[in-house]
Amino acid sequence: RSGSKQPTTPADNYYLARRRTLQVVVSSLLTEAGFESAEKAAVETLTEMLQSYISEIGRSAKSYCEHTARTQPTLSDIVVTLVEMGFNVETLPAYAKRSQRMVITAPPVTNQPVTPKALTAGQNKPHPSHIPGHFPEFPDPHTYIKTPTYREPVSDYQVLREKAASQRRDVERALTRFMAKTGETQSLFKDDVSTFPLIAARPFTVPYLTALLPSELEMQQMEETDSSEQDDQTDTENLPLHMSTDDSGPEKENASVLQQNTSLSGSRNGEENVIDNPYLRPVKKPKIRRKK
Amino acid sequence: AVPVSAAVAAAPSEGAMSNGVYVPPSAANGDVKPVVSTTPLVDFLMQLEDYTPTIPDAVTGYYLNRAGFEASDPRIIRLISLAAQKFISDIANDALQHCKMKGTASGSSRNKSKDKKYTLTMEDLTPALAEYGINVKKPHYFT
């Protein structure tokens, strides 16, 4: 039962309507018996009793019927139920024939709210076979079907190539401009410096050094495999510094090459070499014969 | 009336059988009344075709459905609603008797008959229900 302040759901309304009908029935029965008026508590009591009486008959009759392995209750089940509840069944026909009886109209049955034709969108999904027919229908499909809100990505080859090419060009231009703005610039025009800045070229003292030595990526790979050995690590850290300084003399260059060779030979123990370039293999030191 | 149907397992097989109802030997003493068969009620059920009891079919059917009782025959529903009605009106009549007894017991109405206005109060209903084994307790009013 719901309290007086709580909003009533349709189920509560359904329940209350029938309860009110029972109250009306009780009142009519009391009037038949000869009462002019009654206490509210007395009417409530009798209503409650009537409701539980009907419910108990239903429950008990169902139990008796199921007790005999049936599902549909019959007259005999009800008779046995009434007898069990202490009701004298023989007097029932006599009671039915009494003169004054009032008929109460049934409470109005409200249909389920039907969505108007204008609002329905699409066909409702039919019931699958495991759902009984008296269950309500599925709601309109627009309530549970979702449509993705993104557009399908373009998969046309030509458009994609164009997009990739323009994106690469834009990235390149942005990067070069960034480097020009933050680093040294040279200009082709004497008076106008800012219009077409060129990134200043840094001359290497030994230009062919980068061609001879392995790339930065391979250096990083060697560094990772070399991290377990502490001795070689300092050498590898010094090497990039050697490469970037401009005033490295030829002696230092030889020393750096030698140091790198040692690091390479040292790191060969645990390294699985992906690139098997013969020019990048570690150099085998020639045996130095000491003449006595 | 005591139901006979499922009762005695140790009953001997020589019990009398009359019109399909098993009567145990103790019925000869007269202290156990056999339950009447359902034959007269079957006739009565036929009469219920066009009879509308006070309780509408929809309401009774609603409460029966709540209890799990699915009625195949609408006359069964009318039978049940009739039984429930009779139950309540029996109690109401007993309460009326109590009310009348209280009125005339004091001896006030010698000249005029008891006024026809009877009001059902809890004081009348409580002893009427007590005879049926139902004990109701009205809460005291807090003043």
Side-chain angles (χ1 to χ4, degrees), chain A residues 239 242 245 247-259:
Chain A
L239 276 170
H242 282 295
T245 51
D247 52 37
S248 54
E251 298 97 10
K252 278 195 180 176
E253 176 201 330
N254 288 335
S256 68
V257 170
L258 269 176
Q259 282 177 353

Side-chain angles (χ1 to χ4, degrees), chain A residues 14 18 33 35-39 49 51 55 61-62 72-73 75 78 87 89 91 95-96 98 101-102 104, chain B residues 41 51-52 54-55 62-64 67-69 72 76 79 83 85-87 89 91-92 96 118-120 122 129:
Chain A
Y14 203 76
R18 272 137 190 83
F35 285 103
E36 283 274 335
S37 52
E39 269 184 7
M49 282 171 55
Q51 181 188 328
S55 307
K62 181 78 175 166
Q72 294 258 343
L75 178 65
I78 298 174
F87 188 85
V89 193
T91 59
Y95 176 75
R98 73 197 189 286
R101 46 189 177 87
M102 302 174 217
I104 313 285
Chain B
L41 271 183
Y51 180 99
T52 36
T54 314
I55 313 182
Y62 169 74
Y63 285 112
L64 289 176
F69 183 99
S72 48
I76 299 270
L79 184 74
Q85 267 175 246
K86 180 166 181 308
F87 175 67
S89 60
I91 297 177
L96 192 67
Y118 299 110
T119 302
L120 175 66
M122 287 304 289
L129 285 176

Side-chain angles (χ1 to χ4, degrees), chain B:
Chain B
V2 175
V4 169
S5 50
V8 190
S13 56
E14 76 245 12
M17 297 275 285
S18 63
N19 62 350
V21 178
Y22 172 70
V23 179
S26 60
N29 304 340
D31 38 332
V32 174
K33 268 200 303 193
V35 177
V36 68
S37 65
T38 62
T39 329
L41 271 183
V42 170
D43 301 333
F44 176 61
L45 202 62
M46 301 301 160
Q47 294 172 15
L48 274 182
E49 287 271 355
D50 44 2
Y51 180 99
T52 36
T54 314
I55 313 182
D57 281 354
V59 176
T60 318
Y62 169 74
Y63 285 112
L64 289 176
N65 285 348
R66 280 187 75 123
F69 183 99
E70 180 68 35
S72 48
D73 198 354
R75 295 171 295 182
I76 299 270
I77 301 185
R78 293 197 193 124
L79 184 74
I80 294 179
S81 56
L82 259 186
Q85 267 175 246
K86 180 166 181 308
F87 175 67
I88 297 292
S89 60
D90 284 348
I91 297 177
N93 285 327
D94 288 349
L96 192 67
Q97 300 294 325
H98 279 275
C99 192
K100 281 186 182 164
M101 277 195 311
K102 283 183 189 158
T104 57
S106 59
S108 60
S109 61
R110 290 267 173 83
N111 306 327
K112 62 170 170 67
S113 59
K114 179 80 168 111
D115 58 342
K116 296 291 193 271
K117 291 200 197 298
Y118 299 110
T119 302
L120 175 66
T121 59
M122 287 304 289
E123 286 86 19
D124 294 330
L125 194 55
T126 315
L129 285 176
E131 289 177 15
Y132 281 83
I134 304 168
N135 300 314
V136 294
K137 270 199 178 154
K138 199 177 75 163
H140 300 286
Y141 283 108
F142 298 98
T143 52

Side-chain angles (χ1 to χ4, degrees), chain A residues 44-90:
Chain A
E44 282 287 339
T45 310
L46 286 176
T47 311
E48 183 70 32
M49 282 171 55
L50 184 58
Q51 181 188 328
S52 9
Y53 199 74
I54 297 179
S55 307
E56 179 59 27
I57 291 182
R59 188 205 63 81
S60 186
K62 181 78 175 166
S63 304
Y64 272 111
C65 145
E66 281 176 351
H67 181 66
T68 58
R70 281 179 288 123
T71 52
Q72 294 258 343
T74 67
L75 178 65
S76 319
D77 299 321
I78 298 174
V79 168
V80 173
T81 305
L82 289 174
V83 165
E84 193 202 19
M85 293 174 76
F87 188 85
N88 199 348
V89 193
E90 297 172 14

